[in-house]
């Protein structure tokens, strides 16, 4: 995501959970799932409205201004969205004998040098056509993926790994909502395994909790000492020498990022976010920042949030612990050597005050389980060979160019058939079938029923 970064080793200890700080946060059930949130105090209580921050005199923060002069004018915070961006679940159990045989056959087909046989390496369930990968990953023997889920399955008889480790992809979480996405996944995983319990139960292996917001505060100019964190390492990130954000404790069991989400969209192409933001008051021009905390399994268990149900019940407490104890943006006081007494910056207080009380519902972003290419990709990139052919042959008429290109391609591949055994028709059919597998869509005569 970033092409360069600067790392700062701080004097703070490595990431640890402070049980007293967590207990101080309420354990009330709060919902999330890609929805705007409200302010708990110090501002408006309607989602998407600006949260007014406290006023203080002085200059805007800079690298040259004294540390005790960084509060400046009001910097209202406009919250646009919040929720769970990534969710990784594990399912205890054992792979059944019948499914082990089926997956083994599909994996061998995926390894075939014949593309029509590769195209058969798909696993179908209602609403999904999973690509079966030719290789496993780590301790998992089988990988199935589409645009909604990436499912890693252990081999039959594996005792050191769960039956399945699954990533629910971020677009699917937005489209279906957390509860519906998990319920759908439960049904899929249930058909693969033998379980000790009557009811399948997923454990949360990782959850990334985020808030998207607009704030004119110059984050690039924050002096590094203003960040008080239990993470040992703080990094700043740039793209083409332009500041894009910070990361805190990456690789640890608890980590965080604050980054320019509008800049990131230039690569991810998730343009549906622009509409969701605009619906909540974004003007289309202001930088949208994302503050995101990544919780791994050990932290979630220690915090009593190891299942989907408890995660959702504890999410408000997790957020307040993260911003209130683990990572803080403060107003440094050079005369006080105890950073724990430094006051929170008003912008951080506003983010800390968010409540997670919006129902868990999906949003119609037209997400699909299939990974279909866009019309733009097909009809711009896809015409590259045709236009190159027309330029080479000096053809100006597109219709004439289409016909000439098709005939030349047919002649070329038919001439090659003496070497590879594939006529023009066979070649095109194999390529189309292979693409259908990659796109997670059905192709006539291909796939396991």
């Amino acid at each position: 995501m970033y092409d360069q970064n600067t790392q700062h080793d701080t004097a703070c200890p490595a990431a640890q959970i402070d049980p007293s700080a967590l207990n101080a946060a309420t354990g009330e059930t709060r919902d999330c799932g890609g929805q705007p949130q409200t302010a708990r105090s110090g501002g408006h209580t309607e989602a998407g409205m600006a949260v007014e921050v406290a006023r203080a005199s002085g200059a805007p923060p800079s690298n040259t201004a004294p540390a005790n002069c960084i509060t400046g004018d009001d910097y209202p915070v406009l919250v646009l969205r919040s929720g769970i961006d990534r969710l990784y679940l594990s399912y205890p159990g054992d792979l059944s004998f019948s499914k082990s045989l089926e997956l083994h056959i599909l994996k061998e087909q995926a390894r075939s040098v014949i593309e029509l046989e590769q195209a058969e390496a798909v696993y179908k369930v209602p609403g999904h056509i999973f690509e079966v990968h030719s290789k496993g990953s780590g301790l998992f023997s089988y990988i199935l993926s589409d645009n909604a889920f990436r499912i890693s399955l252990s081999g039959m008889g594996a005792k050191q790994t769960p039956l399945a480790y699954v990533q629910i992809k971020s677009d699917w979480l937005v489209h279906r909502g957390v509860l519906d996405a998990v319920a759908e996944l439960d049904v899929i995983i249930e058909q693969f395994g033998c379980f000790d319990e009557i009811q399948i139960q997923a454990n949360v292996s990782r959850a990334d909790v985020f808030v998207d917001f607009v704030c004119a505060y110059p984050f690039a100019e924050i002096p590094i000492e203003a960040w008080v964190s239990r993470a040992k390492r703080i990094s700043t990130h740039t793209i083409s020498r332009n500041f894009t954000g910070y990361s805190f404790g990456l690789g640890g069991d608890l980590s965080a990022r604050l980054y320019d989400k509008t800049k990131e969209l230039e690569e991810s192409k998730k343009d549906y976010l622009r509409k969701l933001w605009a619906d909540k008051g974004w003007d289309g021009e202001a930088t949208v920042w994302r503050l995101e905390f990544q919780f791994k399994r050990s932290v979630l268990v220690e915090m009593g949030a190891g299942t989907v149900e408890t995660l959702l019940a504890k999410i408000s407490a997790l957020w307040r612990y993260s911003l209130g104890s683990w990572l803080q943006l403060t107003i440094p006081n050079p005369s006080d050597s105890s950073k724990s007494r430094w006051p929170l910056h008003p912008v951080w207080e506003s983010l800390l005050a968010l409540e997670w009380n919006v129902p868990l519902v999906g949003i119609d972003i037209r997400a699909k389980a299939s990974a279909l290419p866009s019309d733009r990709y097909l009809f711009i990139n896809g015409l590259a060979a045709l236009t190159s052919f027309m330029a080479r042959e000096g053809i100006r008429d597109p219709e004439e160019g289409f016909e000439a290109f098709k005939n030349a391609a047919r002649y070329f591949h038919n001439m090659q058939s003496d070497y590879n055994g594939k006529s023009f028709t066979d070649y095109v059919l194999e390529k189309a079938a292979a693409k259908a597998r990659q796109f997670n869509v059905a192709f006539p005569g291909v796939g396991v029923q």
Side-chain angles (χ1 to χ4, degrees):
M1 174 179 170
Y2 303 109
D3 60 11
Q4 56 181 308
N5 66 77
T6 304
Q7 296 181 332
H8 306 272
D9 287 325
T10 70
C12 301
Q16 297 176 347
I17 306 303
D18 182 350
S20 63
L22 177 63
N23 291 336
T26 67
E28 302 169 45
T29 301
R30 301 294 180 190
D31 291 337
C32 65
Q35 297 293 325
Q37 307 300 325
T38 59
R40 183 180 62 187
S41 61
H44 300 290
T45 58
E46 184 149 344
M49 299 298 290
V51 179
E52 297 298 332
V53 297
R55 298 195 172 201
S57 59
S62 70
N63 292 325
T64 57
N68 62 351
C69 298
I70 64 170
T71 50
D73 299 328
D74 285 355
Y75 290 102
V77 175
L78 176 65
V79 175
L80 304 174
R81 291 185 67 241
S82 61
I84 299 177
D85 182 55
R86 294 178 182 87
L87 188 61
Y88 294 75
L89 304 179
S90 65
Y91 289 82
D94 299 305
L95 186 66
S96 71
F97 177 73
S98 61
K99 290 300 178 183
S100 177
L101 289 178
E102 185 176 351
L103 291 172
H104 177 75
I105 293 171
L106 292 173
K107 184 176 178 180
E108 289 301 312
Q109 288 178 314
R111 293 174 173 176
S112 174
V113 296
I114 301 173
E115 287 185 300
L116 275 178
E117 291 184 4
Q118 290 180 23
E120 295 278 352
V122 295
Y123 187 90
K124 294 183 179 180
V125 299
H128 299 268
I129 300 176
F130 290 105
E131 175 186 357
V132 179
H133 293 224
S134 61
K135 296 180 180 179
S137 176
L139 298 175
F140 294 93
S141 300
Y142 308 106
I143 307 295
L144 285 63
S145 66
D146 68 357
N147 211 39
F149 305 110
R150 179 181 172 88
I151 303 173
S152 302
L153 294 164
S154 63
M156 192 180 68
K159 299 300 182 183
Q160 303 300 317
T161 56
L163 164 65
Y165 177 75
V166 185
Q167 176 194 1
I168 305 178
K169 298 184 180 181
S170 59
D171 289 358
W172 205 246
L173 283 172
V174 175
H175 174 61
R176 294 298 304 270
V178 174
L179 291 179
D180 283 351
V182 172
E184 178 185 22
L185 179 60
D186 287 348
V187 173
I188 294 172
I189 298 301
E190 193 169 16
Q191 64 184 274
F192 287 105
C194 303
F195 304 96
D196 295 332
E197 303 293 335
I198 296 177
Q199 184 175 4
I200 189 170
Q201 177 68 61
N203 295 316
V204 181
S205 296
R206 171 182 156 187
D208 295 2
V209 177
F210 76 94
V211 164
D212 291 341
F213 67 96
V214 171
C215 180
Y217 187 77
F219 291 105
E221 300 177 11
I222 296 173
I224 199 65
E225 62 270 18
W227 291 109
V228 177
S229 176
R230 299 189 179 201
K232 186 176 181 180
R233 178 156 294 182
I234 300 175
S235 302
T236 56
H237 300 271
T238 62
I239 294 179
S240 300
R241 299 185 181 275
N242 295 316
F243 173 80
T244 56
Y246 299 95
S247 60
F248 307 86
L250 289 187
D253 290 342
L254 176 55
S255 59
R257 294 192 302 159
L258 173 66
Y259 63 98
D260 182 343
K261 188 65 176 178
T262 41
K263 174 64 70 174
E264 193 261 353
L265 286 191
E266 295 177 7
E267 295 184 8
S268 70
K269 307 300 182 183
K270 295 183 179 182
D271 291 335
Y272 68 82
L273 288 176
R274 301 181 187 277
K275 181 181 185 306
L276 298 182
W277 292 339
D279 289 344
K280 300 303 173 184
W282 182 52
D283 63 6
E285 299 292 336
T287 297
V288 177
W289 295 94
R290 172 165 290 193
L291 177 61
E292 182 175 278
F293 288 89
Q294 180 185 116
F295 302 92
K296 292 186 178 178
R297 176 69 181 167
S298 62
V299 177
L300 293 169
V301 170
E302 189 169 348
M303 291 184 166
T307 66
V308 174
E309 181 180 9
T310 56
L311 170 65
L312 298 177
K314 293 278 189 176
I315 197 165
S316 183
L318 293 174
W319 182 257
R320 290 200 291 276
Y321 170 78
S322 299
L323 278 77
S325 298
W326 192 83
L327 174 65
Q328 297 176 323
L329 176 58
T330 68
I331 302 174
N333 183 357
S335 63
D336 189 345
S337 60
S338 179
K339 295 183 178 181
S340 62
R341 290 194 292 265
W342 290 359
L344 289 180
H345 193 282
V347 169
W348 209 248
E349 288 183 330
S350 296
L351 294 171
L352 175 62
L354 294 176
E355 289 285 6
W356 298 76
N357 55 2
V358 175
L360 285 162
V361 294
I363 300 174
D364 183 12
I365 60 169
R366 297 183 179 179
K368 294 183 178 180
S370 54
L372 296 175
S374 66
D375 286 351
R376 179 178 179 83
Y377 174 85
L378 290 176
F379 302 129
I380 293 181
N381 297 339
L383 289 176
L386 172 64
T387 53
S388 296
F389 176 80
M390 290 174 62
R392 189 188 78 174
E393 301 299 318
I395 300 174
R396 294 180 58 87
D397 183 352
E399 295 300 327
E400 179 186 349
F402 270 115
E403 189 65 23
F405 180 82
K406 180 183 69 174
N407 291 333
R410 177 183 288 110
Y411 177 80
F412 174 83
H413 286 289
N414 286 338
M415 291 296 293
Q416 294 292 310
S417 65
D418 290 339
Y419 302 97
N420 57 29
K422 299 178 184 178
S423 67
F424 172 70
T425 300
D426 291 338
Y427 177 84
V428 172
L429 177 63
E430 285 196 5
K431 292 297 181 183
K435 291 293 185 182
R437 173 172 170 258
Q438 295 174 13
F439 298 155
N440 311 116
V441 294
F443 193 77
V446 171
V448 177
Q449 297 301 324

